[in-house]
Amino acid sequence: MKKALDISKHQNTFAPAKARAAGISTVILRAAYGASRDARFERFAADCKAAGLAIGAYIFLTHHYYNKNGGSVQAARDILHQQVSALLETLAGRGVTSWVALDQELEAGQTMSLTPAENTDLLNEAARWLRDAGYAPCVYCSASWAKSRLVVEQLDCPLWLAYYYADPADPDFDGCAAIENVDTAWGKYTCSLGRKLCGWQFGRIGYGAKYGVGSANVDRDWIYFQPGEEEEGKPVFTSDTLKIGPVSAGDRSAIRTLAESLCVPAADAGDCIIVGPMNGSQRAAVSNKALELGLGCEDYAAPEEGGGQEAKVLAALERIEAEQQRQAGRMDAVLEKLNAAGGALAG
């Protein structure tokens, strides 16, 4: 884990060398509010680079505000595109190597116009635009926002969540409990995200002077992994069938949906799901999705003895594959007859 701050023009001044001396390794700078550039971004980015800090960025989005889009998903998409395009111009050449966050929240008096599914789809589009430009996207929001306004299992980038379990007496890094030990409903939810969680904003009150910012308060974050590090240590799978789980109902649905899109069998096995047989590219897609969702994933082979649940599942998969092959053979036979009939008519 890495210690990080996220700051904006509201901190007014920032001394990155002081932050680094206090143990900070990463600073996530606000680059934009909507389509407007943060007034301190360029200066702060240059100073962070000179101090040897990893630089991330975030944009405070407003495309989801009802008073901006009038309830139209297409209008929200157009606004989002404008804002991300402006963000990319702002980031160019500034040395951003850490996360670029799509910040979603509601300011006072604003209302949300998008359903969770619509919202997730648009954020996935924005994440794709950022990836295409060479950046690593994530979504920043509160834990409650993630649960109520996103379809997390369908989000194709990590989450950086805000949850202040000790607010207003926010601790500093050395007093922050590990998320695994935060025994609250939101703490357990945040922890349950596994590798879907790239960062946790645990504190926002106090400590400004300690970290060299010109405000009394500064946001403090744990970065669990930097872009690219999520690929390290990925297991290598060799079987043509994978066992994934334990899975929640949402995870099970996500894996089944992917398997169906790949034309790959998937069968329940208690709190797990067995997927396959499949080829290498299909296996890579399924295993990547499982790891993205923070699920256990391992090679699966039928037990040599016994008639347990897993054996029954494998037998069911084999029956499915045999039926698919039988149907394919019947179609080939039909095509041969049609070709033969066509040849006879032509003669």
Side-chain angles (χ1 to χ4, degrees), residues 186-303:
W186 288 119
K188 291 176 181 177
Y189 171 75
T190 302
C191 183
S192 75
L193 296 171
R195 293 289 288 180
K196 191 76 172 182
L197 187 71
C198 68
W200 173 30
Q201 186 183 91
F202 66 86
R204 57 180 172 175
I205 306 298
Y207 303 99
K210 177 178 179 179
Y211 295 109
V213 303
S215 61
N217 302 322
V218 65
D219 293 336
R220 299 174 302 286
D221 312 85
W222 287 113
I223 300 297
Y224 292 116
F225 58 90
Q226 294 281 26
E229 291 178 355
E230 69 270 29
E231 300 297 327
E232 293 182 2
K234 270 193 173 182
V236 176
F237 301 106
T238 58
S239 172
D240 63 0
T241 303
L242 297 177
K243 178 181 178 181
I244 299 167
V247 292
S248 66
D251 294 332
R252 192 186 301 273
S253 176
I255 295 297
R256 278 192 167 279
T257 298
L258 176 60
E260 289 173 6
S261 72
L262 296 172
C263 298
V264 170
D268 292 335
D271 63 353
C272 294
I273 186 167
I274 309 296
V275 184
M278 50 192 161
N279 61 33
S281 62
Q282 292 168 331
R283 181 179 61 204
V286 171
S287 62
N288 286 341
K289 185 64 174 180
L291 295 174
E292 175 189 303
L293 294 173
L295 303 175
C297 185
E298 61 186 45
D299 285 334
Y300 177 81

Side-chain angles (χ1 to χ4, degrees), residues 162-173 175-179 181-184 186-187 200-203 222:
Y163 171 56
Y164 314 114
Y165 74 102
D167 191 43
D170 291 341
D172 200 6
F173 293 96
C176 176
I179 191 61
N181 297 328
V182 177
D183 191 21
T184 65
W186 288 119
W200 173 30
Q201 186 183 91
F202 66 86
W222 287 113

Side-chain angles (χ1 to χ4, degrees), residues 32-202:
Y33 173 92
S36 300
R37 184 173 301 187
D38 186 290
R40 297 285 190 273
F41 175 72
E42 292 182 16
R43 173 63 183 273
F44 287 170
D47 291 348
C48 286
K49 187 174 182 180
L53 293 170
I55 303 169
Y58 72 95
I59 178 173
F60 189 102
L61 296 170
T62 62
H63 69 286
H64 52 290
Y65 288 6
Y66 183 85
N67 75 338
K68 297 284 187 182
N69 60 44
S72 165
V73 175
Q74 185 56 52
R77 177 179 286 107
D78 293 341
I79 295 168
L80 178 62
H81 199 179
Q82 292 168 5
Q83 294 182 354
V84 174
S85 295
L87 171 66
L88 292 176
E89 292 181 10
T90 298
L91 297 181
R94 302 300 171 187
V96 173
T97 59
S98 187
W99 299 105
V100 176
L102 302 163
D103 181 348
Q104 269 210 318
E105 45 197 291
L106 287 175
E107 296 172 287
Q110 299 293 345
T111 55
M112 176 64 159
S113 70
L114 304 171
T115 67
E118 292 167 344
N119 192 32
T120 303
D121 286 344
L122 289 184
L123 289 172
N124 283 340
E125 289 186 32
R128 185 175 68 250
W129 298 332
L130 288 171
R131 278 194 294 268
D132 289 346
Y135 298 102
C138 70
V139 169
Y140 168 90
C141 61
S142 68
S144 60
W145 184 286
K147 191 169 184 179
S148 63
R149 299 189 187 276
L150 295 174
V151 185
V152 169
E153 59 268 24
Q154 298 298 328
L155 188 69
D156 65 2
C157 66
L159 284 163
W160 165 28
L161 291 191
Y163 171 56
Y164 314 114
Y165 74 102
D167 191 43
D170 291 341
D172 200 6
F173 293 96
D174 56 0
C176 176
I179 191 61
E180 295 85 355
N181 297 328
V182 177
D183 191 21
T184 65
W186 288 119
K188 291 176 181 177
Y189 171 75
T190 302
C191 183
S192 75
L193 296 171
R195 293 289 288 180
K196 191 76 172 182
L197 187 71
C198 68
W200 173 30
Q201 186 183 91
F202 66 86

